[in-house]
Amino acid sequence: YGPRTTLAVALAGSGGVAEFLLVPGDRAGGGGARWLLANRYTSLGEGALFAPGNLRAVTEHPGYASLIAYWHENRYQLRYTGGMVSDVMQLIVKGKGVFSMPAAPGRPPPARLLHEALPLAFLAEKCGGASSDGRSSLLRVPVERLDQRTQLAVGSAKEVARFDEMVGPAALAVETE
């Protein structure tokens, strides 16, 4: 969110996400930079906060258009930077909300499963949130190719379920290599 370098870490055998902050070293004393534990996040619950991705899909996906309209009509707070990682991390920091990035019908899904969707899904689920490709948890989707793409919703369980209901998996059938 600014001139900081942070690292989010979650481990399979423990709950929550640890955020580390890179702190510059003492130049005069010759000390190097070091990582300091800045925060621990253990909850990703319900809350009227949404971060929409792939907004162009609204014109081609009636379900996504309805979902965005629902959030707007119910006065959800908009979080939008255009950056998936920073938007999802902000939801984790706030402890509420949902990030969505659906596929547009007839077009390849926008997010790379292995390098983008799965790491964020893992962090969200370690905080007690949920993730989905419109059908099931992203953590259950088998990785078949390094460049495999998917749509995604990451955040509170209730809002991810709303994404599944309103957007669904239909657009996933069109993935191209």
Side-chain angles (χ1 to χ4, degrees), residues 3-158:
R4 303 181 331 152
T5 301
T6 63
L7 173 68
V9 177
L11 302 173
S14 63
V17 172
E19 181 182 33
F20 293 89
L21 175 65
L22 183 61
V23 178
D26 176 16
R27 293 182 189 179
R34 58 196 164 112
W35 291 98
L36 294 178
L37 178 62
N39 291 296
R40 288 189 187 274
Y41 306 108
T42 57
S43 176
L44 184 50
E46 305 309 322
L49 178 62
F50 76 106
N54 196 18
L55 282 173
R56 281 184 258 169
V58 168
T59 62
E60 301 171 359
H61 195 304
Y64 193 42
S66 295
L67 182 58
I68 297 292
Y70 172 86
W71 288 330
H72 185 4
E73 290 163 6
N74 287 279
R75 305 189 58 80
Y76 280 47
Q77 180 182 350
L78 173 65
R79 161 71 189 181
Y80 179 76
T81 65
M84 177 169 46
V85 173
S86 59
D87 283 349
V88 171
M89 279 307 301
Q90 182 68 15
L91 299 177
I92 289 172
V93 168
K94 296 279 188 186
K96 65 181 181 180
V98 63
F99 174 85
S100 61
M101 184 181 279
R107 300 184 189 271
R112 291 171 292 191
L113 178 65
L114 185 61
H115 309 293
E116 295 170 321
L118 286 176
L120 295 174
F122 185 73
L123 293 175
E125 291 194 21
K126 293 306 285 182
C127 286
S131 71
S132 180
D133 66 352
R135 165 177 38 224
S136 66
S137 167
L138 286 162
L139 301 182
R140 292 191 205 134
V141 176
V143 176
E144 297 169 356
R145 296 184 323 276
L146 291 176
D147 65 342
Q148 185 174 341
R149 293 184 172 264
T150 188
Q151 65 179 5
L152 69 140
V154 176
S156 74
K158 186 176 176 182

